[in-house]
Amino acid sequence: MSLQKIRLELARDHDYPQGSANHGYEFVAPLQRDGHIDPEAFKKSREKCRVWRFWRGQEDEHGHLVRTRGGTWAFHYDIDGDPDEDESGYRFDSHTFNPGDYVSVKEQDGSLKTFRVVQVRPLA
């Protein structure tokens, strides 16, 4: 198991035709060699799997990567909050996290946004 810090930046969309390095996430997850999140290793390192959401014009949010009862991955910001407010990773269980890959996140407002993996590096 290898804990990695993964940086996602907003991919191009109608509001940002070139994408945006000022909108995204950095999170820590255990990755397998092929770039998939390792669910077994996650169980052993859950407390280290943190997320930072940065979005220009909004306050930063800090939380945790969580695995839901249904087996999906999500970003959870308020430890005592409503799980319905989590931001769900769309098919994070089957996508890889290698530089250049694209993944989607369902935001708290229900919108699905696409992000590009721009950096993966070992957690220091």
Side-chain angles (χ1 to χ4, degrees), residues 8 24 30 41-42 49 55 57:
L8 308 177
F42 172 77
C49 296
W55 208 266

Side-chain angles (χ1 to χ4, degrees), residues 11-120:
R12 60 185 172 163
D13 68 9
H14 64 282
D15 293 327
Y16 297 93
Q18 302 303 315
S20 175
N22 298 308
H23 301 82
Y25 301 87
E26 275 193 10
F27 70 101
V28 174
L31 295 183
Q32 299 169 347
R33 288 181 188 227
D34 64 0
H36 286 97
I37 297 175
D38 185 334
E40 290 304 313
F42 172 77
K43 291 177 187 177
K44 298 173 187 167
S45 59
R46 170 183 334 240
E47 71 284 347
K48 295 179 182 176
C49 296
R50 307 277 307 185
V51 62
W52 165 48
R53 181 184 189 270
F54 56 94
W55 208 266
R56 179 179 273 168
Q58 296 179 12
E59 284 195 40
D60 289 356
E61 293 189 68
H62 299 271
H64 293 87
L65 176 67
V66 296
R67 188 102 192 252
T68 67
R69 287 197 170 117
T72 60
W73 297 98
F75 299 138
H76 183 75
Y77 301 104
D78 182 356
I79 202 68
D80 297 319
D82 184 351
D84 291 336
E85 294 180 10
D86 291 353
E87 295 177 330
S88 301
Y90 180 72
R91 297 185 138 177
F92 272 22
D93 58 329
S94 62
H95 285 285
T96 57
F97 293 87
N98 296 306
D101 289 349
Y102 288 85
V103 297
S104 296
V105 175
K106 186 175 182 181
E107 304 240 311
Q108 291 176 5
D109 65 3
S111 65
L112 189 66
K113 296 198 182 306
T114 303
F115 296 85
R116 188 169 64 88
V117 178
V118 297
Q119 187 177 57
V120 177

